[in-house]
């Protein structure tokens, strides 16, 4: 079974973490049958943390976990902290394939998304 | 003349700020003739700050500035700090229409973008 793990930073604002949970739910609804499981996880502050997020996927039967770091820029969190946490998850679940993509800000589609968002703003409002 | 101002957080990592500058350039190239000017700005740490970013647009002739907060979640920066800075810019440039859209994480297209990014990851690599 295939899982998608969406890793966000985590915030002291519960509403901010809720946005991430709802985003994972939205992605799951949008997806056809590519991913059997879509789970959120948080680098710090909020729960579940990254290893716990992978564990949730594995408990539901995941044998592959695709990771998207929900970050806009390649700071220390993206370059060091998330890879370190994923390595801890790999040690705990050696039979599970865990592959991380680049952070979201590096996606080819980002410039188009920014432009579309800008064009959608009504200056008269 | 119409300007698009892309507001990022700003980082101590120069490469992270450079990503934002390059993104603004990429958006400008991608855009047809909707925006005459596309500029980056930073909430803190990096230059130009938000008022200086608006000033750069105005110096190039902008009479309208569309703002995209390049943030994924609605934390204090999005809810308080950016609106405060934009109000300072409005006081300094009272003849310029400055309208901010929601932060990028709230865009309708975000779930689709996350899914597309996840589907683009080659698990064999």
């Amino acid at each position: 079974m295939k899982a998608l793990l969406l890793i966000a930073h985590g915030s002291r604002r519960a509403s901010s973490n809720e946005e991430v949970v709802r985003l994972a739910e939205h992605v799951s609804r949008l997806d056809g049958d590519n991913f059997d499981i879509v789970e959120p996880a948080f680098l710090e502050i909020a729960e579940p943390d990254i290893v716990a997020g992978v564990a949730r996927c594995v408990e539901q039967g995941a044998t592959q976990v695709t990771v998207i770091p929900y970050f806009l820029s390649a700071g220390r969190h993206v370059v060091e902290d998330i890879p370190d946490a994923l390595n801890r998850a790999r040690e705990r679940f050696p039979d599970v394939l865990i592959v991380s993509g680049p952070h979201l800000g590096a996606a080819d589609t980002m410039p188009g998304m920014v432009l579309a968002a800008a064009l959608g703003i009504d200056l008269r409002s």
Side-chain angles (χ1 to χ4, degrees), chain A:
Chain A
M1 289 179 78
K2 296 179 183 176
L4 169 56
L5 187 68
L6 185 66
I7 300 179
H9 184 280
S11 171
R12 286 180 187 80
R13 292 171 68 104
S15 62
S16 179
N17 300 326
E18 260 305 310
E19 277 185 74
V20 178
V21 173
R22 285 196 300 269
L23 174 61
E25 292 169 353
H26 196 146
V27 170
S28 181
R29 284 197 303 275
L30 195 66
D31 181 34
D33 50 8
N34 296 291
F35 295 102
D36 306 291
I37 300 153
V38 180
E39 289 286 343
F42 299 94
L43 176 64
E44 55 189 37
I45 303 169
E47 296 288 333
D49 67 17
I50 294 175
V51 174
V54 171
R56 283 192 186 184
C57 295
V58 174
E59 286 159 11
Q60 293 171 76
T63 51
Q64 299 183 352
V65 180
T66 297
V67 176
I68 296 289
Y70 189 61
F71 285 72
L72 286 176
S73 65
R76 182 174 50 81
H77 290 324
V78 164
V79 174
E80 297 176 15
D81 300 339
I82 291 177
D84 286 351
L86 291 177
N87 281 334
R88 289 197 298 277
R90 290 185 183 101
E91 285 171 15
R92 182 160 158 197
F93 303 106
D95 298 331
V96 177
L97 178 64
I98 301 173
V99 179
S100 180
H103 62 290
L104 197 71
D108 294 341
T109 48
M110 184 56 84
M113 185 181 182
V114 169
L115 183 58
L119 292 174
I121 297 170
D122 186 351
L123 291 179
R124 294 164 303 179
S125 63

